[in-house]
């Protein structure tokens, strides 16, 4: 995302919120707070770099809303991070959490930095940050935002370029700050972040939660549309955490035919269906290009061809902004289930609705990720570890309930599922706001 698109992203979400507020008849002051933010912190902090110099970094933490519970959302390390982008991302978290009906609000953080060495650093070279630099950066940022985060205030998580290792440093540094502030012996406070490795406070089932949630919402939609998913043709864009695991779930559990998968290097097509496990093995172990391309028995196709394939289910699970007013008219699918965030523009949503394509927007379909993150936080607070089966059962309930509430709002107002998600979520946030502030 470019610096400017942070503002566009924010404007886009706000226009959805304003529309939803119209359906709900919300008063002006409520609309003002939901399109604004609750708290934002901008911090600057010095970090010792490997070359011996000190560099000052700028970071943000935005709490869009704590009306329904502590703020929740990732921390992004990227050279294009901006205040608007962080605000937009934190707003996404508020409404996704509300739609999933988890007891958390929305937050997000970010540091303007270049961990992968994608752009020139001040001395003109493109070098990734070392592990030591990343650790010192993370610890300094944690100290800078320590006063406003905490298990019952604001719970960060990984996002772009922030790993479980980074979450581990954050947990450790936060726990040190609390020990210093209280004068108590050091005690690790796991519930301050989610996205930790299993065994270090992480939840079972988090690794495949996003795809599992996509699978549950697709199952519910297919029931409503009377679409038999056995043998149904499925196209998946993106073969990473969301896309690949989704392909495996539909292949294993519905016996659907996954006719196309793609990655950043291109797409493959087999009208008789691909085995996603074999494609994974090809990509990871055998392909010289480390790509799905050239998978034996399949044909390489372009991204353009992928978008125009006749299929029953299309799952954009890589990039934002793939379904636009230019691409949406070319779709030949019955259902779109979005693993990716922001896959569809508002204009494309309207085009798809008018074409009779049933869209499961990312805020609903990929909500399994944040839901199981919430489960991780709950397990940390309880000091317990839920079994994989417990996690799956609870996730299924949240996904099915969110789907049903959205479908009901879509039918009631005669609007797309893409618009209905905001009606449901804004209603819940507005009610919580009124209760919290005694309005
Ligand atoms: P990932 O990095 O594991 O996988 C991304 C995949 O997309 C990779 O296979 C990559 O090669 C592919 N890709 C990149 N550019 C592409 C292109 N131009 N065309 C086709 N494929 C391309 O990421 P992920 O975790 O699976 O996330 C994918 C999307 O899902 C993102 O939008 C992310 O925000 C969203 N999402 C993920 C989660 C989660 O828990 N993983 C939760 C919510 C939303």
């Amino acid at each position: 995302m470019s610096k400017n698109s942070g503002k566009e992203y924010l404007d886009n979400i706000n226009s959805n919120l304003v529309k939803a507020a119209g359906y709900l008849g919300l008063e002006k002051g409520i609309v003002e707070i939901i399109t604004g933010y609750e708290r934002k912190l901008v911090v600057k902090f010095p970090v010792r770099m490997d070359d011996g110099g000190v560099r000052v970094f700028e970071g943000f933490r935005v709490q869009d809303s704590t009306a329904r519970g502590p703020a929740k959302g990732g921390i992004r390390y990227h050279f294009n991070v901006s205040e608007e982008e962080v605000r937009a991302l934190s707003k996404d978290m508020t409404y996704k959490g509300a739609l999933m009906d988890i007891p958390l609000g929305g937050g997000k953080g970010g540091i303007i930095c270049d961990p992968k060495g994608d752009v020139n650093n001040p001395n003109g070279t493109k070098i990734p940050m070392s592990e030591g630099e990343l650790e010192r950066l993370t610890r300094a940022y944690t100290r800078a935002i320590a006063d406003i985060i905490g298990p019952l205030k604001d719970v960060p998580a990984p996002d772009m370029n922030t790993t479980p290792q980074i979450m581990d440093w954050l947990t450790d540094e936060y726990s040190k700050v609390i020990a210093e502030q209280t004068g108590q012996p050091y005690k690790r406070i796991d519930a301050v972040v989610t996205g930790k490795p299993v065994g270090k406070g992480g939840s079972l089932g988090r690794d495949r939660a996003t795809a599992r949630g996509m699978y549950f919402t697709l199952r519910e939609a297919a029931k409503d549309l009377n679409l038999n998913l056995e043998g149904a043709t499925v196209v998946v864009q993106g073969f990473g955490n969301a896309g690949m695991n989704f392909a495996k779930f539909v292949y294993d559990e519905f016996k659907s035919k996954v006719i196309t998968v793609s990655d950043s290097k291109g797409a493959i097509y087999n009208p008789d269906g691909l085995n996603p496990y074999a494609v994974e093995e090809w990509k990871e172990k055998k392909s010289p290009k480390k790509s799905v391309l050239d998978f034996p028995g399949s044909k390489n196709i372009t991204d353009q061809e992928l978008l125009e394939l006749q299929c029953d289910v299309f799952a954009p699970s890589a990039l934002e902004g793939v379904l636009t007013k230019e691409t949406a008219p070319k779709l030949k699918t019955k259902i779109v289930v979005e693993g990716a965030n922001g896959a569809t523009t508002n204009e494309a949503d309207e085009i798809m609705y008018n074409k009779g394509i049933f869209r499961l927007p990312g805020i609903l379909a990929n909500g399994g990720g944040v839901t199981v993150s919430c489960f991780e936080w709950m397990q940390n607070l309880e000091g317990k570890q839920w079994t994989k089966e417990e996690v799956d059962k609870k996730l299924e309930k949240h996904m099915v309930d969110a789907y049903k509430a959205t479908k009901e709002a879509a039918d009631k107002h005669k609007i797309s599922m893409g618009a209905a998600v905001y009606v449901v979520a804004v209603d819940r946030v507005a009610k919580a706001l009124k209760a919290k502030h005694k309005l």
Side-chain angles (χ1 to χ4, degrees), residues 203-208 212 249 372 375 379 385-395:
S203 176
L204 291 168
R206 173 62 187 91
D207 50 346
R208 303 210 294 173
R212 189 72 177 156
F249 281 128
V372 176
F375 295 169
Q379 291 169 75
Q385 175 97 59
W386 301 349
T387 64
K388 218 170 143 193
E389 291 70 29
E390 270 177 276
V391 169
D392 199 53
K393 218 169 169 43
K394 289 178 205 270
L395 173 63

Side-chain angles (χ1 to χ4, degrees), residues 14 16 18 37 52 54 69 82 108 131 163 176 180 224 293 299 322 325 361 409 420 422:
N14 275 340
N16 287 322
V18 170
Y37 57 87
V54 169
S82 67
K108 205 85 181 189
E131 174 147 326
T163 56
K176 281 184 186 157
E180 286 163 19
D224 278 339
L293 284 179
K299 183 180 147 203
V322 282
K325 64 178 189 304
Y422 288 101

Side-chain angles (χ1 to χ4, degrees), residues 239 244 279-287 290-291:
F239 201 63
M244 180 183 74
V279 179
E280 178 187 22
E281 197 185 356
W282 169 256
K283 182 178 160 109
E284 300 301 324
K285 300 200 184 127
K286 298 182 183 157
S287 155
K290 292 271 168 234
S291 163

